[in-house]
Amino acid sequence: MSTQTDLDVLILGHGLAGGLLAWHLIQKGLRVTVIDDPQSLSASRVAAGLFNPVTGQRLVKFKHADRFLPVARECYHALEKRFGKTFFHDMGMVRLIRSNHDQLVWGKRKNDPEYDSYLGEYFDRNTSPYVHDPLGSFRQHRTGYVDTTVLLDTLSEFFRGNDSFIDARIDYKEISFEKGQVTALDIRAKQIIFCEGYRATGNPWFSWLPFKPAKGEILALQTDTELPEQIINAGKWLLPSTEGLFKTGATYQWHELDELPTKEAKQELLDFVHALLRHPGNIKIIHHLAGIRPCTKDTKPYIGMHPHHPELGFFNGFGSRGSLMIPYHAEQFAAHLCDKTAIDKETDIKRYWKEDA
Ligand SMILES: Cc1cc2nc3c(=O)[nH]c(=O)nc-3n(C[C@H](O)[C@H](O)[C@H](O)COP(=O)(O)OP(=O)(O)OC[C@H]3O[C@@H](n4cnc5c(N)ncnc54)[C@H](O)[C@@H]3O)c2cc1C
């Protein structure tokens, strides 16, 4: 462990945000150590890691999709190549049409050139051998998923190998700072970047950032019948894997913010699967996980340095789009920390700072 060693950056939290930011900073030659609570399951490890740039009932393309998707692909592919692992999976998606409104929206988007590379062909009603499709469905392109567990295990193994990963839960009271130096667990660094996911709601230096955390649950299941080869999106989703394994999710809940799986969510997800699949077969639950999404008030990430304490930085608020957004923002924030490039106004935490608050 690198105690008493001066570092450039301490990263608190090893979800996708902390992991990818640390990776980019190390690539830029900085001395970095990541601290992560070994007892807690991050949202990143619960997530299915889906990326789907065109979402919602209005079938709207995520504003920055054209910019973020290529960066995400490049980042994940570079990591795959570097470590000889596979965690980025292109996989088509079939979205079920569930109402006349869906049908109208689909018709409109299909004629919009902005959506050309994202939306594919229409499938007639009742033609899928796998799922009930009474109103038909259509294909979505540029979708897939990141196996976040493989990615995070790969990164933590690399950080550990470089003596730059510490398993510990940090109490904010254990962090002290003065001009140009932060100390935590006897480690001194020039800066600390907080990447604690929804737990940042308890961060005393950034309590002015309004979060709207959302609990979510997913099930990993196995069946003995054949599954579709694409991701099925019907409000909730079904993500097929091999040998009858698949995942389904996710629920949304804003009140009971704990990481405990509930029987209500389990039933909701099982009901979804049984209503969706024509031949569900014998379904076995492999695991049931719950996590909290770090959603923000204006649905945009929170990135930047504390207006009065330049030793303290924040990289968070990726809501339910971590796999698509984090690679882009990690690259940008690493450039800001190393080369003083500007932070996008839209994501800069300063948008919420009030000097006299
Ligand atoms: C059910 C569910 C499904 C989801 N599905 C998707 C999806 O399909 N696609 C997608 O893009 N996104 C999805 N998300 C959202 C995605 O998980 C998040 O956007 C992303 O993972 C957030 O990453 P993060 O690193 O900011 O936070 P986290 O992954 O929560 O990581 C924070 C880390 O900080 C650590 N930490 C916090 N406080 C401390 C402390 N005091 N000391 C030490 N360590 C600390 C935690 O242990 C944790 O490891 C889903 C989320 C959930 C819950």
Short mmCIF file of all heavy atoms in Angstrom, two decimals, residues 228-267:
data_model
loop_
_atom_site.label_atom_id
_atom_site.label_comp_id
_atom_site.label_asym_id
_atom_site.label_seq_id
_atom_site.Cartn_x
_atom_site.Cartn_y
_atom_site.Cartn_z
N PRO A 228 -34.55 -14.99 -27.76
CA PRO A 228 -34.20 -14.15 -28.91
C PRO A 228 -32.71 -13.85 -28.91
O PRO A 228 -32.05 -13.96 -27.88
CB PRO A 228 -35.02 -12.87 -28.67
CG PRO A 228 -35.47 -12.92 -27.27
CD PRO A 228 -35.48 -14.34 -26.83
N GLU A 229 -32.20 -13.45 -30.08
CA GLU A 229 -30.76 -13.14 -30.14
C GLU A 229 -30.47 -11.68 -29.89
O GLU A 229 -29.32 -11.28 -29.75
CB GLU A 229 -30.21 -13.56 -31.51
CG GLU A 229 -30.03 -15.07 -31.58
CD GLU A 229 -29.62 -15.54 -32.95
OE1 GLU A 229 -29.36 -14.70 -33.83
OE2 GLU A 229 -29.57 -16.77 -33.13
N GLN A 230 -31.53 -10.87 -29.90
CA GLN A 230 -31.33 -9.43 -29.66
C GLN A 230 -31.87 -9.04 -28.28
O GLN A 230 -32.65 -9.78 -27.68
CB GLN A 230 -32.08 -8.59 -30.69
CG GLN A 230 -31.46 -8.55 -32.05
CD GLN A 230 -32.13 -9.53 -32.98
OE1 GLN A 230 -33.15 -10.10 -32.64
NE2 GLN A 230 -31.54 -9.72 -34.14
N ILE A 231 -31.48 -7.85 -27.88
CA ILE A 231 -32.08 -7.28 -26.68
C ILE A 231 -33.53 -6.95 -27.03
O ILE A 231 -33.81 -6.42 -28.11
CB ILE A 231 -31.35 -5.97 -26.29
CG1 ILE A 231 -29.86 -6.24 -26.06
CG2 ILE A 231 -32.00 -5.34 -25.06
CD1 ILE A 231 -29.00 -4.98 -26.10
N ILE A 232 -34.44 -7.30 -26.14
CA ILE A 232 -35.85 -6.92 -26.36
C ILE A 232 -36.17 -5.77 -25.42
O ILE A 232 -35.90 -5.84 -24.22
CB ILE A 232 -36.80 -8.11 -26.06
CG1 ILE A 232 -36.43 -9.34 -26.90
CG2 ILE A 232 -38.25 -7.69 -26.30
CD1 ILE A 232 -36.63 -9.19 -28.39
N ASN A 233 -36.75 -4.73 -26.01
CA ASN A 233 -37.10 -3.55 -25.22
C ASN A 233 -38.62 -3.37 -25.28
O ASN A 233 -39.18 -3.15 -26.36
CB ASN A 233 -36.38 -2.33 -25.83
CG ASN A 233 -36.71 -1.04 -25.12
OD1 ASN A 233 -37.60 -0.99 -24.28
ND2 ASN A 233 -35.99 0.01 -25.47
N ALA A 234 -39.23 -3.51 -24.13
CA ALA A 234 -40.69 -3.34 -24.07
C ALA A 234 -41.02 -2.53 -22.82
O ALA A 234 -41.82 -2.92 -21.98
CB ALA A 234 -41.38 -4.70 -24.04
N GLY A 235 -40.36 -1.40 -22.69
CA GLY A 235 -40.45 -0.63 -21.44
C GLY A 235 -39.38 -1.16 -20.51
O GLY A 235 -38.36 -0.53 -20.28
N LYS A 236 -39.57 -2.35 -20.01
CA LYS A 236 -38.45 -3.07 -19.40
C LYS A 236 -37.73 -3.81 -20.53
O LYS A 236 -38.22 -3.85 -21.65
CB LYS A 236 -38.97 -4.06 -18.35
CG LYS A 236 -39.60 -3.36 -17.16
CD LYS A 236 -39.94 -4.35 -16.09
CE LYS A 236 -40.46 -3.67 -14.85
NZ LYS A 236 -41.47 -2.61 -15.09
N TRP A 237 -36.58 -4.41 -20.20
CA TRP A 237 -35.82 -5.07 -21.26
C TRP A 237 -35.46 -6.50 -20.88
O TRP A 237 -35.51 -6.88 -19.70
CB TRP A 237 -34.53 -4.28 -21.57
CG TRP A 237 -33.80 -3.80 -20.35
CD1 TRP A 237 -33.85 -2.55 -19.80
CD2 TRP A 237 -32.98 -4.58 -19.47
NE1 TRP A 237 -33.09 -2.50 -18.66
CE2 TRP A 237 -32.54 -3.73 -18.42
CE3 TRP A 237 -32.56 -5.91 -19.45
CZ2 TRP A 237 -31.72 -4.17 -17.38
CZ3 TRP A 237 -31.74 -6.34 -18.41
CH2 TRP A 237 -31.33 -5.47 -17.40
N LEU A 238 -35.11 -7.26 -21.91
CA LEU A 238 -34.58 -8.62 -21.71
C LEU A 238 -33.26 -8.68 -22.48
O LEU A 238 -33.22 -8.35 -23.67
CB LEU A 238 -35.59 -9.63 -22.26
CG LEU A 238 -35.24 -11.12 -22.12
CD1 LEU A 238 -36.52 -11.95 -22.04
CD2 LEU A 238 -34.38 -11.62 -23.27
N LEU A 239 -32.22 -9.06 -21.77
CA LEU A 239 -30.88 -9.12 -22.38
C LEU A 239 -30.42 -10.58 -22.41
O LEU A 239 -30.09 -11.16 -21.37
CB LEU A 239 -29.91 -8.27 -21.55
CG LEU A 239 -28.42 -8.37 -21.90
CD1 LEU A 239 -28.14 -7.86 -23.31
CD2 LEU A 239 -27.59 -7.57 -20.89
N PRO A 240 -30.43 -11.21 -23.62
CA PRO A 240 -30.08 -12.63 -23.69
C PRO A 240 -28.57 -12.86 -23.63
O PRO A 240 -27.79 -12.04 -24.10
CB PRO A 240 -30.62 -13.05 -25.06
CG PRO A 240 -30.58 -11.81 -25.87
CD PRO A 240 -30.75 -10.65 -24.94
N SER A 241 -28.20 -13.99 -23.04
CA SER A 241 -26.80 -14.39 -23.02
C SER A 241 -26.73 -15.80 -23.60
O SER A 241 -27.56 -16.16 -24.44
CB SER A 241 -26.29 -14.31 -21.58
OG SER A 241 -24.95 -14.70 -21.51
N THR A 242 -25.80 -16.62 -23.15
CA THR A 242 -25.71 -17.98 -23.71
C THR A 242 -26.37 -18.99 -22.76
O THR A 242 -26.64 -18.68 -21.60
CB THR A 242 -24.23 -18.38 -23.87
OG1 THR A 242 -23.57 -18.14 -22.63
CG2 THR A 242 -23.56 -17.57 -24.97
N GLU A 243 -26.61 -20.19 -23.27
CA GLU A 243 -27.12 -21.32 -22.49
C GLU A 243 -28.38 -20.99 -21.69
O GLU A 243 -28.51 -21.38 -20.52
CB GLU A 243 -26.02 -21.82 -21.54
CG GLU A 243 -24.84 -22.40 -22.31
CD GLU A 243 -23.64 -22.70 -21.42
OE1 GLU A 243 -23.78 -22.63 -20.19
OE2 GLU A 243 -22.59 -22.99 -21.98
N GLY A 244 -29.27 -20.23 -22.31
CA GLY A 244 -30.55 -19.93 -21.66
C GLY A 244 -30.46 -18.87 -20.57
O GLY A 244 -31.45 -18.55 -19.92
N LEU A 245 -29.27 -18.32 -20.38
CA LEU A 245 -29.13 -17.27 -19.36
C LEU A 245 -29.61 -15.94 -19.93
O LEU A 245 -29.38 -15.65 -21.10
CB LEU A 245 -27.67 -17.14 -18.93
CG LEU A 245 -27.10 -18.33 -18.15
CD1 LEU A 245 -25.58 -18.25 -18.10
CD2 LEU A 245 -27.68 -18.36 -16.74
N PHE A 246 -30.24 -15.15 -19.12
CA PHE A 246 -30.61 -13.80 -19.55
C PHE A 246 -30.84 -12.92 -18.33
O PHE A 246 -30.98 -13.41 -17.21
CB PHE A 246 -31.84 -13.81 -20.47
CG PHE A 246 -33.12 -14.30 -19.85
CD1 PHE A 246 -34.13 -13.40 -19.51
CD2 PHE A 246 -33.35 -15.65 -19.62
CE1 PHE A 246 -35.33 -13.83 -18.96
CE2 PHE A 246 -34.56 -16.10 -19.07
CZ PHE A 246 -35.54 -15.19 -18.74
N LYS A 247 -30.82 -11.61 -18.60
CA LYS A 247 -31.11 -10.66 -17.53
C LYS A 247 -32.36 -9.90 -17.89
O LYS A 247 -32.66 -9.71 -19.09
CB LYS A 247 -29.96 -9.67 -17.36
CG LYS A 247 -28.73 -10.27 -16.71
CD LYS A 247 -27.67 -9.22 -16.50
CE LYS A 247 -26.44 -9.84 -15.85
NZ LYS A 247 -25.32 -8.89 -15.79
N THR A 248 -33.05 -9.42 -16.89
CA THR A 248 -34.19 -8.55 -17.15
C THR A 248 -34.23 -7.44 -16.11
O THR A 248 -33.81 -7.62 -14.97
CB THR A 248 -35.51 -9.34 -17.19
OG1 THR A 248 -36.54 -8.49 -17.68
CG2 THR A 248 -35.91 -9.85 -15.82
N GLY A 249 -34.69 -6.29 -16.52
CA GLY A 249 -34.79 -5.16 -15.61
C GLY A 249 -35.37 -3.99 -16.36
O GLY A 249 -35.81 -4.12 -17.49
N ALA A 250 -35.25 -2.91 -15.84
CA ALA A 250 -34.95 -2.68 -14.45
C ALA A 250 -36.13 -1.91 -13.85
O ALA A 250 -36.86 -1.23 -14.57
CB ALA A 250 -33.68 -1.85 -14.32
N THR A 251 -36.29 -2.06 -12.56
CA THR A 251 -37.35 -1.30 -11.89
C THR A 251 -36.84 0.10 -11.56
O THR A 251 -35.62 0.34 -11.54
CB THR A 251 -37.77 -2.00 -10.60
OG1 THR A 251 -36.60 -2.13 -9.77
CG2 THR A 251 -38.36 -3.38 -10.88
N TYR A 252 -37.75 1.01 -11.30
CA TYR A 252 -37.41 2.37 -10.83
C TYR A 252 -38.20 2.66 -9.58
O TYR A 252 -39.40 2.39 -9.52
CB TYR A 252 -37.78 3.41 -11.89
CG TYR A 252 -36.68 3.65 -12.90
CD1 TYR A 252 -36.53 2.79 -13.99
CD2 TYR A 252 -35.79 4.70 -12.76
CE1 TYR A 252 -35.52 3.00 -14.92
CE2 TYR A 252 -34.78 4.91 -13.69
CZ TYR A 252 -34.65 4.07 -14.76
OH TYR A 252 -33.65 4.27 -15.67
N GLN A 253 -37.54 3.21 -8.58
CA GLN A 253 -38.21 3.51 -7.32
C GLN A 253 -37.43 4.62 -6.62
O GLN A 253 -36.21 4.57 -6.58
CB GLN A 253 -38.23 2.20 -6.51
CG GLN A 253 -39.26 2.10 -5.43
CD GLN A 253 -38.62 2.45 -4.12
OE1 GLN A 253 -38.66 3.61 -3.71
NE2 GLN A 253 -38.00 1.48 -3.49
N TRP A 254 -38.13 5.63 -6.11
CA TRP A 254 -37.44 6.82 -5.59
C TRP A 254 -37.58 7.00 -4.08
O TRP A 254 -37.13 7.99 -3.54
CB TRP A 254 -37.97 8.08 -6.30
CG TRP A 254 -37.59 8.14 -7.74
CD1 TRP A 254 -36.49 8.77 -8.25
CD2 TRP A 254 -38.24 7.53 -8.85
NE1 TRP A 254 -36.43 8.59 -9.62
CE2 TRP A 254 -37.49 7.83 -10.01
CE3 TRP A 254 -39.38 6.73 -8.99
CZ2 TRP A 254 -37.85 7.39 -11.28
CZ3 TRP A 254 -39.74 6.29 -10.26
CH2 TRP A 254 -38.98 6.62 -11.38
N HIS A 255 -38.22 6.05 -3.40
CA HIS A 255 -38.53 6.28 -1.98
C HIS A 255 -37.64 5.52 -1.01
O HIS A 255 -37.02 6.10 -0.14
CB HIS A 255 -40.01 5.99 -1.71
CG HIS A 255 -40.89 6.71 -2.69
ND1 HIS A 255 -40.95 8.08 -2.73
CD2 HIS A 255 -41.68 6.24 -3.68
CE1 HIS A 255 -41.77 8.45 -3.71
NE2 HIS A 255 -42.22 7.35 -4.30
N GLU A 256 -37.59 4.19 -1.18
CA GLU A 256 -36.79 3.38 -0.25
C GLU A 256 -35.40 3.23 -0.83
O GLU A 256 -35.13 2.31 -1.60
CB GLU A 256 -37.42 1.99 -0.10
CG GLU A 256 -38.87 2.01 0.24
CD GLU A 256 -39.10 1.66 1.69
OE1 GLU A 256 -38.49 0.70 2.17
OE2 GLU A 256 -39.88 2.38 2.35
N LEU A 257 -34.50 4.14 -0.46
CA LEU A 257 -33.19 4.13 -1.11
C LEU A 257 -32.20 3.26 -0.35
O LEU A 257 -31.30 3.74 0.34
CB LEU A 257 -32.68 5.56 -1.27
CG LEU A 257 -33.52 6.41 -2.23
CD1 LEU A 257 -33.01 7.83 -2.30
CD2 LEU A 257 -33.58 5.79 -3.63
N ASP A 258 -32.40 1.94 -0.46
CA ASP A 258 -31.42 1.01 0.08
C ASP A 258 -31.05 0.04 -1.04
O ASP A 258 -31.64 0.06 -2.11
CB ASP A 258 -31.97 0.28 1.31
CG ASP A 258 -33.25 -0.47 0.97
OD1 ASP A 258 -33.30 -1.11 -0.10
OD2 ASP A 258 -34.22 -0.41 1.76
N GLU A 259 -30.06 -0.81 -0.76
CA GLU A 259 -29.61 -1.72 -1.82
C GLU A 259 -30.14 -3.13 -1.62
O GLU A 259 -29.52 -4.11 -2.02
CB GLU A 259 -28.07 -1.72 -1.87
CG GLU A 259 -27.54 -0.41 -2.42
CD GLU A 259 -26.16 -0.07 -1.91
OE1 GLU A 259 -25.85 -0.42 -0.76
OE2 GLU A 259 -25.41 0.56 -2.66
N LEU A 260 -31.31 -3.22 -0.96
CA LEU A 260 -31.88 -4.53 -0.68
C LEU A 260 -32.86 -4.94 -1.78
O LEU A 260 -33.79 -4.19 -2.09
CB LEU A 260 -32.61 -4.51 0.66
CG LEU A 260 -31.76 -4.13 1.87
CD1 LEU A 260 -32.62 -4.01 3.12
CD2 LEU A 260 -30.67 -5.19 2.07
N PRO A 261 -32.68 -6.13 -2.35
CA PRO A 261 -33.66 -6.63 -3.32
C PRO A 261 -35.01 -6.83 -2.64
O PRO A 261 -35.07 -7.24 -1.48
CB PRO A 261 -33.07 -7.97 -3.76
CG PRO A 261 -31.63 -7.93 -3.38
CD PRO A 261 -31.55 -7.06 -2.16
N THR A 262 -36.09 -6.52 -3.35
CA THR A 262 -37.43 -6.64 -2.75
C THR A 262 -38.25 -7.71 -3.48
O THR A 262 -38.04 -7.95 -4.68
CB THR A 262 -38.19 -5.31 -2.85
OG1 THR A 262 -38.36 -4.99 -4.24
CG2 THR A 262 -37.45 -4.18 -2.15
N LYS A 263 -39.20 -8.28 -2.75
CA LYS A 263 -40.03 -9.31 -3.40
C LYS A 263 -40.99 -8.67 -4.41
O LYS A 263 -41.34 -9.28 -5.41
CB LYS A 263 -40.74 -10.20 -2.39
CG LYS A 263 -41.73 -9.57 -1.45
CD LYS A 263 -42.34 -10.69 -0.59
CE LYS A 263 -43.52 -10.27 0.26
NZ LYS A 263 -43.42 -9.02 1.00
N GLU A 264 -41.36 -7.40 -4.17
CA GLU A 264 -42.26 -6.72 -5.12
C GLU A 264 -41.58 -6.55 -6.48
O GLU A 264 -42.17 -6.81 -7.53
CB GLU A 264 -42.66 -5.32 -4.59
CG GLU A 264 -43.56 -5.32 -3.37
CD GLU A 264 -42.80 -5.59 -2.07
OE1 GLU A 264 -41.56 -5.54 -2.07
OE2 GLU A 264 -43.46 -5.87 -1.05
N ALA A 265 -40.31 -6.11 -6.44
CA ALA A 265 -39.59 -5.91 -7.71
C ALA A 265 -39.37 -7.25 -8.40
O ALA A 265 -39.49 -7.35 -9.63
CB ALA A 265 -38.27 -5.21 -7.45
N LYS A 266 -39.06 -8.27 -7.61
CA LYS A 266 -38.84 -9.60 -8.21
C LYS A 266 -40.10 -10.03 -8.96
O LYS A 266 -40.04 -10.48 -10.10
CB LYS A 266 -38.49 -10.61 -7.10
CG LYS A 266 -38.30 -12.01 -7.63
CD LYS A 266 -37.64 -12.92 -6.63
CE LYS A 266 -38.65 -13.47 -5.66
NZ LYS A 266 -38.05 -14.40 -4.69
N GLN A 267 -41.26 -9.84 -8.31
CA GLN A 267 -42.52 -10.25 -8.94
C GLN A 267 -42.79 -9.42 -10.20
O GLN A 267 -43.21 -9.95 -11.23
CB GLN A 267 -43.67 -10.12 -7.92
CG GLN A 267 -44.90 -10.90 -8.31
CD GLN A 267 -44.59 -12.38 -8.58
OE1 GLN A 267 -43.98 -13.04 -7.74
NE2 GLN A 267 -44.95 -12.89 -9.75
#
